[in-house]
Amino acid sequence: MPDAALIAAAVAARAKAYAPYSRFLVGAAVKDETGVVHPGCNVENAAYPQGTCAEAGAIAAMVLAGGRKIVEAAVVGAGDGLVTPCGGCRQKLREFGADDLAIHVCDETGRIKRSFTLGELLPASFGPENLSS
């Protein structure tokens, strides 16, 4: 069962996104290994593409708070299509999450359009364990 607080945090984060150029607001939230939810929003920059994605903001908030493992994530965006994490954010999620990490892709109201595992979005991925000897 998806965490309602996680999705609500992503919806609230989307409302605070800074996207004056694209007007494409995105919110995200990650839940860490202790159950704490960390939200993030996209932040654009006039020197495009120097902005940051919502997922990156949520991960940074988690790390700052001491979290080291993502156990569930949500991404919220508007439009008919799915607003899934970009390729770079899929790799960022992989740094802190396993193949079975649930990622809920939601519309702007928080309705889940589809849930994926990280393994589905980033198959045969490269992660920290690939560097261990």
Side-chain angles (χ1 to χ4, degrees), residues 1-115:
M1 185 74 153
D3 184 331
L6 174 79
I7 294 170
V11 170
R14 181 183 175 273
K16 295 184 178 189
Y18 179 75
Y21 308 107
S22 72
R23 307 258 186 249
F24 192 73
L25 308 177
V26 180
V30 298
K31 182 167 59 172
D32 71 20
E33 68 275 19
T34 67
V36 176
V37 172
H38 308 276
C41 62
N42 62 318
V43 178
E44 293 182 346
N45 188 293
Y48 188 80
Q50 296 301 314
T52 57
C53 296
E55 299 90 336
I59 293 167
M62 180 193 76
V63 170
L64 179 61
R68 291 296 182 268
K69 181 176 180 175
I70 300 171
V71 298
E72 190 175 8
V75 181
V76 174
D80 293 334
L82 295 173
V83 180
T84 59
C86 71
C89 286
R90 293 175 192 202
Q91 187 63 46
K92 288 174 180 73
L93 289 163
R94 175 63 178 87
E95 184 68 19
F96 299 96
D99 278 348
D100 63 350
L101 167 63
I103 301 169
H104 310 294
V105 178
C106 308
D107 68 13
E108 65 274 15
T109 70
R111 180 182 62 85
I112 296 174
K113 295 173 89 172
R114 182 156 176 206
S115 293

